């Protein structure tokens, strides 16, 4: 009987810690991963704080607060450090591209145009404001995130996994398309063009395998037309240059994007 009890205690002692070890808490990893993403890319992480928020993350005031807000809803799809890095890197991507300050610049110019009787000026500002697209910004931030992740030695394919783990639209379900398929394919194509070795490494989960079937079908169809391939390569060659420039300029300005600089200038000159 004693031997049986001792055996049971031994089993419990072994299995309980193992079970606990499999529980992953992405929120607890955000600060360390965020700092690594910055420092490995040569960006100072001094006084930068990463905070998990329950609502939509607002990083409009990063320049003054040095706080990076990360969505708990997005982190819910992160099951390991690679996927947590994908969520954090995307927010950093928006900050590095200056999307928050871009919105503020649009707001300032729109307000100024509202009192301007010059029709041409109003039309120019309205055109600029109408081109302020969330999807376009998300795609840009995602590609910056890929660069940040690769330089920090995280698997960039995790970003595809986080995107496709999310709930798709009703139409996605009907046609059998992964959630966020357009954004995920944008990430996939960029990695294939800039970091082909990372694509070969793969990512071991069902979400990625499902997405890969979808992506390979599209790539196969595209490869049948030389003009599409040339256009594709031109697009991602330009994206490679632009994302690298965004990171470099953000770094050399000491954590300030070009849009941050423009907003700072306009904010001091606009009455």
């Amino acid at each position: 009987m004693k031997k049986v009890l001792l055996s049971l205690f031994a089993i419990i002692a072994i299995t309980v810690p193992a079970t606990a070890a499999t529980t992953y808490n992405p929120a607890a990893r955000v600060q360390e991963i965020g700092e690594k993403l910055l420092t490995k890319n040569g960006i100072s992480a001094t006084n930068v704080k990463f905070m998990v928020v329950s609502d939509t993350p607002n990083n409009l005031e990063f320049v003054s607060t040095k706080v990076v807000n990360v969505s708990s809803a997005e982190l819910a799809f992160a099951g390991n450090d690679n996927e947590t890095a994908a969520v954090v890197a995307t927010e950093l991507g928006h900050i590095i591209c200056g999307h928050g300050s871009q919105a503020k610049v649009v707001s300032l110019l729109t307000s100024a145009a509202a009192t301007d009787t010059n029709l041409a000026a109003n039309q120019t500002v309205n055109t600029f404001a109408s081109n302020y697209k969330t999807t376009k910004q998300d795609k840009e931030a995602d590609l910056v995130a890929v660069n940040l992740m690769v330089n920090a030695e995280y698997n960039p394919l995790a970003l595809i996994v986080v995107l496709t783990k999310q709930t798709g639209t009703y139409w996605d379900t009907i046609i059998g398309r992964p959630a966020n398929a357009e954004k995920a394919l944008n990430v996939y194509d960029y990695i294939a063009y800039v970091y082909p070795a990372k694509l070969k490494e793969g990512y071991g989960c069902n979400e990625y395998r499902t997405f890969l079937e979808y992506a390979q079908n599209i790539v196969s169809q595209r490869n049948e037309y030389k003009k599409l391939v040339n256009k594709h390569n031109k697009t991602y060659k330009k994206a490679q240059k632009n994302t690298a420039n965004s990171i470099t300029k953000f770094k050399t300005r000491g954590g300030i994007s070009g849009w941050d600089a423009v907003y700072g200038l306009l904010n001091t000159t606009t009455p």
Side-chain angles (χ1 to χ4, degrees):
M1 184 64 179
K2 287 183 178 180
K3 290 183 178 180
V4 173
L5 290 174
L6 287 172
S7 297
L8 287 174
F9 282 128
I11 292 171
I12 292 171
I14 293 171
T15 58
V16 170
T19 302
T22 61
T23 303
Y24 181 76
N25 181 3
R29 302 286 299 135
V30 164
Q31 182 68 34
E32 182 178 336
I33 289 173
E35 289 178 359
K36 183 178 178 181
L37 285 166
L38 291 176
T39 55
K40 289 291 185 179
N41 282 277
I43 302 170
S44 174
T46 304
N47 298 324
V48 177
K49 185 175 182 180
F50 293 81
M51 294 186 63
V52 178
V53 296
S54 57
D55 51 0
T56 302
N58 183 339
N59 290 304
L60 291 174
E61 306 302 328
F62 170 78
V63 172
S64 58
T65 65
K66 296 298 181 184
V67 172
V68 180
N69 292 303
V70 181
S71 168
S72 60
E74 296 286 335
L75 286 174
F77 299 105
N80 55 50
D81 277 5
N82 285 305
E83 292 165 19
T84 299
V87 176
V88 178
T90 300
E91 288 304 327
L92 288 173
H94 282 291
I95 291 170
I96 288 169
C97 293
H99 292 152
S101 289
Q102 183 180 5
K104 293 191 287 186
V105 167
V106 170
S107 178
L108 277 178
L109 293 177
T110 303
S111 298
T115 59
D116 193 335
T117 56
N118 187 314
L119 180 61
N122 274 277
Q123 289 177 336
T124 299
V125 172
N126 288 335
T127 299
F128 180 42
S130 68
N131 289 334
Y132 180 66
K133 303 294 185 182
T134 300
T135 301
K136 181 180 178 181
Q137 290 185 329
D138 283 346
K139 287 182 175 181
E140 185 180 19
D142 286 344
L143 301 192
V144 171
V146 169
N147 291 351
L148 296 176
M149 291 177 71
V150 171
N151 291 336
E153 300 178 343
Y154 292 110
N155 190 333
L157 297 175
L159 179 50
I160 292 173
V161 174
V162 170
L163 287 169
T164 57
K165 275 184 179 181
Q166 298 174 30
T167 304
T169 64
Y170 181 67
W171 183 244
D172 288 334
T173 304
I174 290 177
I175 65 175
R177 180 175 61 190
N180 294 306
E182 183 180 348
K183 291 198 291 184
L185 186 62
N186 178 54
V187 173
Y188 178 86
D189 283 338
Y190 183 74
I191 295 172
Y193 184 82
V194 184
Y195 304 107
K198 295 295 182 183
L199 203 65
K200 289 181 181 179
E201 288 179 14
Y203 198 93
C205 72
N206 290 332
E207 288 86 0
Y208 182 69
R209 283 188 284 270
T210 299
F211 169 79
L212 199 56
E213 292 177 5
Y214 165 81
Q216 288 178 336
N217 184 47
I218 292 177
V219 172
S220 178
Q221 292 178 27
R222 182 172 62 214
N223 287 343
E224 294 178 4
Y225 301 93
K226 187 176 180 179
K227 286 186 177 180
L228 289 180
V229 172
N230 290 338
K231 182 180 179 181
H232 170 84
N233 291 340
K234 186 177 180 180
T235 296
Y236 286 98
K237 181 178 181 180
K238 182 179 179 180
Q240 180 183 16
K241 180 180 178 181
N242 289 345
T243 53
N245 284 343
S246 293
I247 295 173
T248 298
K249 290 178 180 178
F250 185 82
K251 180 168 53 178
T252 56
R253 291 190 183 104
I256 298 175
S257 71
W259 282 108
D260 295 328
V262 171
Y263 175 72
L265 180 62
L266 286 176
N267 200 36
T268 57
T269 59
T270 303

